[in-house]
Amino acid sequence: MLFVLLATLWGGSFVAIEVGVTEWPPLLFAAIRYDLAGALVLAIAAVRGGPALPRTRGDLTAVATVAVFVIFGHHALLYVGQGSVPGAVASAIVALSPVVTALLAPVFLGGGELGGVQYVGVGAGFLGVVAVTNPGAAAGVPAIGALLVFGATVAFALGTLLLRRVSTTLSAAALQGWGMLAGAALLHGGSRALGEPQAMAASATGLGTLAFLVVGPGVIAFLLYFHLLDSVGATRTTLVGYLEPMAAAGLAFALFGYVPTPGAALGFALVLGGFALVEGHALRVAAGDAVGRLRTTLS
């Protein structure tokens, strides 16, 4: 249930962003979200104890990586892209993150070449994005919006890979908190550079979407993610990305009546199939664990 809740919160963030960017300037919206989320996550880090202040060059490099790639790069492109891309479609594109990460890992980390089946998964995933963003399949999703969301996916994958090359003394909460605040500062700078209005009266809808993004995906999902890492391990926790597009599509249907056309549905299936092929080991581990639990229960 926690796994499904995490997927729902993260999947729901795409739907909330879709609503929010109609109420807020996109970069300012993202910046305020991470001003608040960063402060809350740092408070959690202080309560939990452990190293909370960057002290080493590795700490500063890790914070800068999170700020530049995971917060600024990813969210600037995602929020601007979602001005024209529905949340359900954006979630399917971002679901390619493990596929893109696996494709780029040999370049940035060395070794770890993909196997033949995984390359098939990469191809299926990209074909899925083409199908989902085809004007005839997804109600006319603009190509530029889809490219921006895909750029957000690449930025997230790069940040993930670069973090693996850095040694840090910070706790996970402290690293994310400082990264959020530094990334928010960059988003504020980008907002001003683009000439976005800085003074505005937000509606109840705008404030509601902001509150959800800060508390739900920003804080509760963060705590759930690390709880699952501790309880079931990283391999199975990564499979949450398999459910996010389904959660986003379900919420989009419940709130807006969004129904993907058969072509878009095929695209979703290809993206998820590509994810499954690339993350085959994680799926086998999860399936084996489920079978083991069932046998234990039945016996």
Side-chain angles (χ1 to χ4, degrees):
M1 290 180 66
L2 292 179
F3 192 85
V4 172
L5 176 59
L6 176 59
T8 302
L9 288 172
W10 276 347
S13 68
F14 295 98
V15 180
I17 293 169
E18 179 183 353
V19 175
V21 293
T22 66
E23 302 279 337
W24 300 81
L27 265 64
L28 180 63
F29 184 32
I32 295 174
R33 172 190 176 181
Y34 281 105
D35 285 333
L36 299 172
L40 288 172
V41 171
L42 278 180
I44 291 170
V47 170
R48 287 187 164 188
L53 291 174
R55 295 175 297 174
T56 67
R57 179 178 296 180
D59 293 342
L60 294 174
T61 301
V63 169
T65 300
V66 172
V68 172
F69 292 96
V70 177
I71 303 300
F72 174 70
H74 176 71
H75 289 88
L77 293 169
L78 177 64
Y79 278 57
V80 175
Q82 280 208 241
S84 59
V85 176
V89 175
S91 70
I93 298 173
V94 174
L96 277 178
S97 180
V99 175
V100 175
T101 301
L103 188 63
L104 296 177
V107 177
F108 287 89
L109 301 180
E113 293 289 340
L114 298 179
V117 172
Q118 290 176 309
Y119 277 116
V120 172
V122 169
F126 282 104
L127 284 175
V129 168
V130 172
V132 167
T133 58
N134 182 287
V141 174
I144 185 64
L147 286 173
L148 286 170
V149 177
F150 180 70
T153 305
V154 173
F156 187 88
L158 286 172
T160 301
L161 290 169
L162 292 173
L163 273 178
R164 295 181 189 176
R165 302 173 60 174
V166 180
S167 176
T168 176
T169 65
L170 291 171
S171 67
L175 172 59
Q176 294 298 322
W178 288 115
M180 286 176 179
L181 291 180
L186 294 175
L187 287 164
H188 278 295
S191 175
R192 291 182 179 276
L194 290 179
E196 292 182 349
Q198 301 298 301
M200 57 175 293
S203 69
T205 300
L207 291 174
T209 55
L210 176 63
F212 169 75
L213 286 168
V214 170
V215 177
V219 177
I220 296 175
F222 173 85
L223 295 173
L224 286 175
Y225 177 75
F226 283 99
H227 174 75
L228 287 170
L229 280 180
D230 291 338
S231 60
V232 302
T235 299
R236 277 167 282 186
T237 302
T238 58
L239 296 178
V240 72
Y242 198 78
L243 293 181
E244 282 180 48
M246 301 178 191
L251 289 169
F253 172 75
L255 296 174
F256 311 129
Y258 171 80
V259 178
T261 64
L266 173 62
F268 285 132
L270 284 169
V271 168
L272 295 177
F275 183 103
L277 290 172
V278 171
E279 297 290 338
H281 174 68
L283 283 171
R284 288 191 295 271
V285 169
D289 181 68
V291 170
R293 289 176 182 271
L294 178 61
R295 287 176 175 171
T296 300
T297 302
L298 293 175
S299 61

